[in-house]
Structures are given as C-alpha cells and as structure tokens.
C-alpha cells in the first residue's frame, strides 16, 4: 500500500521525533512566513480529523488544536520541523462547513486559493478524505483547483478505524481510481487512523518523500 522501505520509514520517524514547534498563524497572505523552507500543507473538510492527524503525525497531543466545533481553524497555521529548520507543516482552514457565515467561508476560500496557487515553497498538499464518506464535491473543488494550478497533492483517508475492513477497501479503491484520473494527484493513497496509529508511519514517510 505505501511503497516505502524500512530505511525511509525509520528516517521519517526520527525526523518527527525531533524538534517541532508552532511558528505562527496567518489570517491573510501578508502574514505568512518567508518561503525559506519546503512546505507540506494539510487540507480537508471541516471535521475530517485534520488536527488529530497532525497531532498523531508529530507525536504531540497539543500541537494542532482539536475541537468539537468544526471549522475552528480559520487561518494558515505554520509549524517548524527540525533545528536547524528542515521543513514546515501547514495546517489549512477546513472547508465545506455549512454553518460558517458566508463572509468567513469566502475569506477562507480566498486565503486557501491564494496560498495554494502562489506558494513556491509548497512541495505537496495532503488532501484528507473521511473514510466514512469518501470523496465529496467540496473535495473535488479543491482537487480541481490543485490540478489547474499544477500543485502536487496526495489523497489521505482519515478515520480508517471507523468502518469495516471491506468498506474501507471499497472506499480506498474508488478514491485511488479517482486519483489516477487527475493530473496533479499522486496515484497512491494512504489510509490512516489517528486514534489507532494506523498508517502514521507511512504518512510521515510520505511527507519526507514530498520535500525531496
């Protein structure tokens, strides 16, 4: 499923076991840090489990804020990995949350679009898909935008422990089939569970692979 060798997995584990620190939140592009390190961004629908996955990825419970209120992340949050700085993780605002005010949704959309389209340091975007629901139209909107902007991305299934193995296999297959039809998508998807730790080692390796 992952295609990563043990050496890459172990290197990724050691990297994420090292220093990781919150750098800053950027409510608009004028506040984003200088593009002085490679970046890997995390995008996904509100309530897809993005903050939990970031915490599992980094092995730190409180790095990314989790909330029972979907749409809490309304800014681009930057995290420095390594000392000296090796690369950055970028936690993007969740999308597709119907209860958010329209002006807030519009602001998020502009912020996300502008960042994804114009960021030279961005090496890959990880688009998170809830295993229980599969790819939705709001996910396709982001994927369409990434395809048009020629920004490399990879689909990552979250909450894989929440459905039966047979259902997960079907969702994974249909997700992979869609990924292969898209010009900027990585052909292989990842299956993860932040609760059970499933696929976290592979996800770390995928981040390391993306920054080259």
């Amino acid at each position: 499923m992952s295609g990563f060798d043990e050496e890459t997995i172990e290197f990724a584990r050691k990297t994420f076991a090292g220093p990781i620190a919150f750098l800053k939140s950027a409510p608009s592009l004028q506040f984003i840090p200088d593009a002085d390190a490679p970046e890997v961004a995390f995008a996904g629908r509100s309530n897809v489990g993005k903050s939990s996955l970031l915490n599992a990825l980094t092995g730190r419970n409180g790095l990314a804020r989790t909330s029972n209120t979907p749409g809490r992340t309304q800014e681009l949050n930057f995290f420095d990995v390594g000392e000296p700085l090796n690369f950055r993780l970028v936690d993007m605002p969740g999308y597709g949350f119907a209860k958010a005010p329209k002006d807030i949704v519009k602001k998020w959309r502009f912020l996300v679009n502008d960042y994804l389209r114009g960021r030279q340091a961005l090496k890959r975007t990880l688009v998170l898909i809830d295993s229980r629901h599969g790819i939705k139209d709001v996910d396709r909107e982001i994927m369409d935008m990434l395809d048009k902007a020629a920004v490399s991305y990879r689909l990552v299934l979250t909450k894989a422990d929440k459905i039966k193995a047979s259902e997960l296999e079907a969702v994974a297959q249909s997700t992979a089939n869609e990924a292969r039809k898209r010009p900027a998508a990585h052909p292989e998807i990842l299956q993860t569970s932040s609760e059970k730790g499933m696929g976290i080692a592979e996800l770390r390796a995928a981040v390391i692979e993306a920054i080259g």
Side-chain angles (χ1 to χ4, degrees):
M1 180 187 80
S2 72
F4 299 113
D5 57 40
E6 288 184 20
E7 190 176 339
T8 304
I9 295 270
E10 178 59 15
F11 177 77
R13 185 193 68 77
K14 286 181 177 176
T15 300
F16 279 95
I20 301 176
F22 171 74
L23 175 63
K24 68 186 301 185
S25 292
S28 62
L29 289 191
Q30 70 196 73
F31 295 103
I32 66 176
D34 292 338
D36 53 2
E39 293 172 355
V40 174
F42 289 74
R45 291 199 307 274
S46 296
N47 214 23
V48 75
K50 185 156 47 67
S51 296
S52 297
L53 193 66
L54 272 164
N55 289 335
L57 181 76
T58 58
R60 292 156 172 84
N61 283 336
L63 189 74
R65 297 178 306 176
T66 58
S67 172
N68 290 327
T69 307
R72 179 167 172 175
T73 303
Q74 298 177 20
E75 303 169 331
L76 296 171
N77 292 314
F78 292 82
F79 301 90
D80 285 353
V81 180
E83 263 180 32
L85 177 61
N86 189 352
F87 60 93
R88 288 194 176 105
L89 302 176
V90 185
D91 182 12
M92 304 184 67
Y95 55 81
F97 183 51
K99 291 182 183 175
K102 285 185 179 176
D103 58 332
I104 298 256
V105 172
K106 192 174 180 182
K107 181 185 169 189
W108 294 353
R109 187 180 291 271
F110 280 124
L111 177 63
V112 168
N113 287 7
D114 290 347
Y115 168 76
L116 289 176
R117 284 190 180 129
R119 188 66 165 171
Q120 291 294 325
L122 180 62
K123 299 303 180 184
R124 182 159 293 160
T125 299
L126 298 174
V127 179
L128 311 188
I129 306 292
D130 192 322
S131 294
R132 300 170 300 180
H133 308 302
I135 298 174
K136 297 287 190 185
D137 286 341
V138 284
D139 301 315
R140 292 187 179 94
E141 285 178 25
I142 286 281
M143 292 159 69
D144 288 344
M145 192 187 68
L146 291 166
D147 285 330
K148 285 174 188 167
V151 174
S152 171
Y153 63 97
R154 187 167 188 158
L155 302 180
V156 179
L157 292 176
T158 64
K159 306 184 182 183
D161 60 310
K162 303 296 186 188
I163 61 174
K164 294 175 183 174
S166 57
E167 292 172 5
L168 177 61
E169 189 176 334
V171 170
Q173 190 61 58
S174 64
T175 305
N177 288 344
E178 183 148 353
R180 290 189 190 102
K181 296 173 187 172
R182 291 179 169 270
H186 192 291
E188 294 179 6
I189 65 164
L190 295 170
Q191 302 173 25
T192 66
S193 163
S194 52
E195 262 188 41
K196 306 292 186 185
M198 171 186 173
I200 299 302
E202 290 78 13
L203 184 60
R204 289 174 182 147
V207 170
I208 298 298
E209 176 194 66
I211 62 170

